[in-house]
Amino acid sequence: MSHSGGKWTHTMAEYSSLLSDLSDNITNEDLEQLKSACKEDIPEDQSNDITSSKEWFSYLEKNDKLAQDNLSYIEHIFEISRRPDLLTRVIEYRTIVLKISEDDEIDTKLTRIPSAKKYKDIIRQPSEDEIIKLAPPPKKV
């Protein structure tokens, strides 16, 4: 494994197998639920054209919402669609294949679109103390 090219192909293979695993576990009924979870991101006419999970994945890929190293969007969708089984599979892939876990603050697409847990921290309001610290010291009159 001295040349870097090999790893990427390996990731690509793992990624394909991840998607096919996920597809196997998404029935047409599930797909409707997943599509409705991302209706803000998929215009209705296009959503109607998506009839299989593979088409859904490829739509997301075309729209930069899914890539072998960018799974945060589908993690989010599986989370809000209450599909812990699918979510677990994605997280497993991310942790094992990409070696990126929740705790790694790696500046990649994965941390830029934080999981819901991190999201809460980011949007929380600053406390009184922090606001005081940020305010400039009162000028001496």
Side-chain angles (χ1 to χ4, degrees), residues 74-119:
I74 59 170
E75 283 185 30
H76 169 68
I77 295 300
F78 293 155
E79 207 169 330
I80 59 180
S81 307
R82 299 197 168 63
R83 287 302 300 271
D85 54 324
L86 300 176
L87 181 59
T88 307
R89 180 72 183 82
V90 176
I91 290 173
E92 200 174 276
Y93 163 89
R94 174 162 58 86
T95 331
I96 296 167
V97 180
L98 303 177
K99 303 194 170 40
I100 297 173
S101 68
E102 279 298 326
D103 312 323
D104 288 340
E105 289 297 346
I106 298 175
D107 181 31
T108 64
K109 288 181 185 146
L110 289 152
T111 47
R112 254 180 277 145
I113 309 172
S115 65
K117 189 175 88 235
K118 288 200 185 131
Y119 213 60

